[in-house]
Amino acid sequence: QQQVKQSPQSLIVQKGGISIINCAYENTAFDYFPWYQQFPGKGPALLIAIRPDVSEKKEGRFTISFNKSAKQFSLHIMDSQPGDSATYFCAAIWTSGSRLTFGEGTQLTVNP
Amino acid sequence: GAGVSQSPSNKVTEKGKDVELRCDPISGHTALYWYRQRLGQGLEFLIYFQGNSAPDKSGLPSDRFSAERTGESVSTLTIQRTQQEDSAVYLCASSYRTGNEQYFGPGTRLTVT
């Protein structure tokens, strides 16, 4: 199986709150897990990524938490801002392979 | 430097017509990917090129879809005899080499009427 399952489908958060998006994967061969942010009419942009040898990676307000045994990873957006309103996709790839396998996406709305 | 560019940005075509979509990858990127994104859905892999190796065509949904790449530069995705279910945004991405971060273009929105 090469599925990556993402939840929730949509998320509404107040400004300053924490946004949490979860993903689960099945293929244990995956060894690179990026998150992409997509604004309407634009292509996805790489936001942050993690490899399974670490449990957490933080870049500014964005943190990935990774649980290898549970085959789950999540994106946390601290101090969410209206400008963070976008669709977020988790993805997975085995770096000797080619294709990214994407989750279904989460539409995040941050209310002012 | 310049990012991945795609043209046209929008394409409206009649059912049964052929369309050709173009992708210019980031200079120096040896790997190039095509994905399809249906409305409100995630991205679906179509095809992958790496240097002069044979492309991975395993994601192409039917034999109406084909793609070419000249060396490590421009790629074209061709859809023959378009159907309404082909309506989607077609995204191109490139990376320095296989397994590295993929950088996406803005996509071509294809509407088949």
Side-chain angles (χ1 to χ4, degrees):
Chain A
Q1 284 289 337
Q2 299 206 9
Q3 265 189 321
V4 175
K5 295 187 176 181
Q6 183 172 347
S7 64
Q9 189 173 17
S10 62
L11 180 62
I12 300 174
V13 173
Q14 291 300 118
K15 178 182 176 182
I18 302 173
S19 304
I20 302 174
I21 304 171
N22 300 299
C23 285
Y25 64 97
E26 298 178 2
N27 190 338
T28 56
F30 289 142
D31 59 1
Y32 180 70
F33 301 87
W35 284 88
Y36 283 84
Q37 179 188 56
Q38 186 177 32
F39 292 104
K42 305 290 187 182
L46 180 64
L47 188 62
I48 186 173
I50 196 168
R51 297 193 183 274
D53 52 346
V54 296
S55 60
E56 185 175 283
K57 183 175 182 180
K58 183 176 181 179
E59 290 184 1
R61 297 184 294 108
F62 300 91
T63 300
I64 301 178
S65 296
F66 188 85
N67 185 329
K68 188 174 181 178
S69 61
K71 294 189 287 186
Q72 295 175 347
F73 58 110
S74 61
L75 176 69
H76 295 232
I77 306 174
M78 313 299 288
D79 187 26
S80 299
Q81 300 296 312
D84 297 331
S85 297
T87 300
Y88 292 80
F89 293 95
C90 62
I93 189 172
W94 64 94
T95 51
S96 59
S98 57
R99 69 188 68 184
L100 282 165
T101 299
F102 283 85
E104 299 90 345
T106 296
Q107 187 167 348
L108 172 66
T109 302
V110 181
N111 288 327
Chain B
V4 177
S5 61
Q6 292 186 245
S7 61
S9 55
N10 282 283
K11 177 72 176 178
V12 180
T13 190
E14 292 180 353
K15 177 181 173 181
K17 300 282 189 183
D18 297 352
V19 296
E20 193 172 276
L21 312 180
R22 177 187 169 108
C23 172
D24 282 90
I26 294 172
S27 178
H29 281 194
T30 62
L32 186 147
Y33 315 77
W34 284 96
Y35 294 86
R36 177 170 69 179
Q37 185 175 28
R38 290 198 166 111
L39 185 64
Q41 297 186 21
L43 281 73
E44 173 190 9
F45 169 81
L46 296 177
I47 189 170
Y48 155 72
F49 296 90
Q50 171 60 58
N52 294 319
S53 302
D56 176 359
K57 303 180 181 180
S58 59
L60 295 178
S62 78
D63 59 7
R64 296 186 295 105
F65 288 71
S66 63
E68 293 184 349
R69 187 182 186 194
T70 307
E72 295 183 353
S73 60
V74 171
S75 175
T76 55
L77 176 69
T78 301
I79 308 172
Q80 296 179 310
R81 305 181 302 282
T82 52
Q83 303 295 312
Q84 287 186 330
E85 63 262 27
D86 299 334
S87 296
V89 175
Y90 289 83
L91 289 156
C92 175
S94 70
S95 65
Y96 179 61
R97 54 177 181 265
T98 301
N100 280 30
E101 290 86 351
Q102 295 183 21
Y103 295 89
F104 283 82
T108 293
R109 181 175 297 278
L110 175 65
T111 303
V112 182
T113 61

